[in-house]
Amino acid sequence: MAMGSSSLSPCVSLSPSLSPHPKLPNPNPNPNPNLFHLSHPSFNPIPLRFNQPPSRSKKLLSPNAPTFFVAASAKAEPLKVIISGAPASGKGTQCELITKKYGLVHISAGDLLRAEIAAASENGKLAKEYMEKGQLVPNEIVVMMVKERLLQPDSQQRGWLLDGYPRSSSQAAALEDYGIRPDVFILLDVSEDILVERVVGRRLDPLTGKIYHLKYSPPENNEIASRLTQRFDDTEEKVKLRLRTHHENVDDVLSVYKDITVKVNGNVAKENVFEQIDAALTHVAEQRKVNSGSIAA
Ligand code: AP5
């Protein structure tokens, strides 16, 4: 617990990892109930979180600041994960498995855009023009949409799993500008011939949102099979355009996250892909526990 102050909550936090851009108004002034500013006169009033490595946390304190010892029972911050990969590399499939085990909020840029299309909004109409050509939807639509979803209370409380964003250096820069950085960047690596086969055979259940593949993940029964739908951009011709867009941008995005990238072999069965991801996330979660339990600033 804290020493030098009698009013410290055990949920002190040492990292402004989801703070709004300093030049923009904060749309969510108190997004995390675990966040607070200390009132000690010598303390620099920056929101503090538990999971910050000691070296950086020390920079937040003035020389006369009180010393704080973090209780071993400190609640670790929820995980923040980005999953990336070529079209049909299995991002959505893995997100189903990850959210089931880790309880993270799944935020898919593609799903958000398809929801706009289904709602026949102006953004949706514009987005569809780009999606049909396998191109990136303009940042004016995508960036705010994703950012607002990341700032929702459920994403901040449960942690998030961002799927299909960022897809360009400008989108990655926008996240960095907002102070939004993942703990880990998972890259699904799948060979191109497999990608085309996965796209063409993909089907979706509009009732449950579950992803199927006619060969690799067939529907459980005839009732489900009869209601499956296919995405308008899931043709061999369109996936080639989507792949080209992916290749044009992927290196720029990777360069932003190279220190936290975990490359996963996505060519194997989905259960085996998940084993690799699960091992990576378990490792990250354990590291965070060690960090949050050992901080003495
Ligand atoms: P989006 O919806 O994100 O599409 P995508 O990136 O092309 O990826 P997919 O959803 O097609 O595939 P996935 O990797 O999720 O694979 P899945 O798990 O379904 O984006 C669509 C469009 O929206 C973009 O082209 C762009 O226009 C726009 N857009 C999106 N984000 C944007 C952004 N940030 N900025 C601008 N524009 C944006 O699996 C595929 C199939 O394979 C399934 O049938 C599945 O059952 C099967 N499968 C999965 N894993 C395995 C496995 N291990 N073995 C066998 N089969 C498997």
Side-chain angles (χ1 to χ4, degrees):
M1 278 298 284
M3 286 173 63
S5 165
S6 58
S7 60
L8 280 180
S9 143
C11 288
V12 181
S13 163
L14 290 177
S15 146
S17 60
L18 198 62
S19 57
H21 190 284
K23 291 180 199 145
L24 295 174
N26 181 356
N28 194 356
N30 185 18
N32 185 340
N34 292 336
L35 271 177
F36 67 96
H37 294 111
L38 300 181
S39 57
H40 192 282
S42 62
F43 192 79
N44 186 356
I46 293 172
L48 300 177
R49 292 176 201 236
F50 260 144
N51 65 335
Q52 192 64 33
S55 57
R56 181 151 167 218
S57 65
K58 276 177 186 146
K59 286 186 202 153
L60 299 173
L61 300 172
S62 75
N64 300 324
T67 302
F68 302 109
F69 296 98
V70 177
S73 61
K75 192 171 167 254
E77 280 287 304
L79 275 177
K80 295 168 293 225
V81 180
I82 290 181
I83 187 163
S84 168
S89 54
K91 300 182 292 294
T93 301
Q94 293 305 317
C95 286
E96 283 180 9
L97 300 170
I98 296 168
T99 50
K100 203 167 157 192
K101 173 155 183 186
Y102 290 88
L104 306 177
V105 175
H106 177 206
I107 302 172
S108 155
D111 286 351
L112 291 173
L113 290 168
R114 281 183 286 278
E116 290 290 330
I117 294 173
S121 68
E122 284 308 311
N123 278 348
K125 284 179 202 154
L126 187 62
K128 193 168 182 200
E129 287 175 25
Y130 287 86
M131 291 165 82
E132 281 186 325
K133 289 185 265 180
Q135 294 172 354
L136 294 184
V137 173
N139 281 357
E140 292 78 53
I141 296 176
V142 181
V143 172
M144 288 309 283
M145 198 178 70
V146 169
K147 188 201 117 193
E148 277 167 17
R149 188 64 193 88
L150 283 165
L151 289 174
Q152 294 290 313
D154 61 342
S155 310
Q156 294 189 52
Q157 281 155 16
R158 283 162 48 199
W160 43 260
L161 173 59
L162 187 52
D163 161 8
Y165 186 102
R167 290 195 197 222
S168 63
S169 54
S170 57
Q171 291 184 2
L175 276 192
E176 296 278 302
D177 280 354
Y178 289 122
I180 299 172
R181 192 160 174 87
D183 301 306
V184 58
F185 184 93
I186 293 168
L187 176 67
L188 296 180
D189 188 30
V190 179
S191 62
E192 208 139 315
D193 48 333
I194 292 182
L195 292 173
V196 175
E197 191 194 11
R198 285 189 186 172
V199 160
V200 176
R202 172 170 42 197
R203 296 293 183 275
L204 301 165
D205 184 345
L207 219 61
T208 62
K210 193 168 171 194
I211 304 164
Y212 290 94
H213 190 280
L214 295 178
K215 184 171 164 191
Y216 300 115
S217 290
E220 293 87 350
N221 56 51
N222 286 341
E223 191 191 339
I224 296 174
S226 67
R227 64 176 186 240
L228 294 183
T229 59
Q230 193 170 13
R231 264 169 51 176
F232 65 85
D233 55 350
D234 269 357
T235 62
E236 194 167 339
E237 178 207 357
K238 283 186 178 143
V239 78
K240 289 195 171 142
L241 299 172
R242 286 157 62 194
L243 275 169
R244 195 169 69 195
T245 304
H246 171 75
H247 290 312
E248 282 166 4
N249 293 290
V250 64
D251 288 342
D252 286 347
V253 175
L254 282 178
S255 69
V256 176
Y257 298 110
K258 56 177 180 291
D259 56 326
I260 51 166
T261 295
V262 174
K263 198 168 171 180
V264 165
N265 175 12
N267 295 299
V268 292
K270 66 178 181 183
E271 295 78 11
N272 302 118
V273 179
F274 181 66
E275 274 171 17
Q276 300 171 63
I277 295 174
D278 193 18
L281 295 185
T282 303
H283 178 73
V284 172
E286 277 168 5
Q287 283 299 114
R288 293 163 60 97
K289 249 193 252 164
V290 169
N291 287 343
S292 63
S294 64
I295 289 175

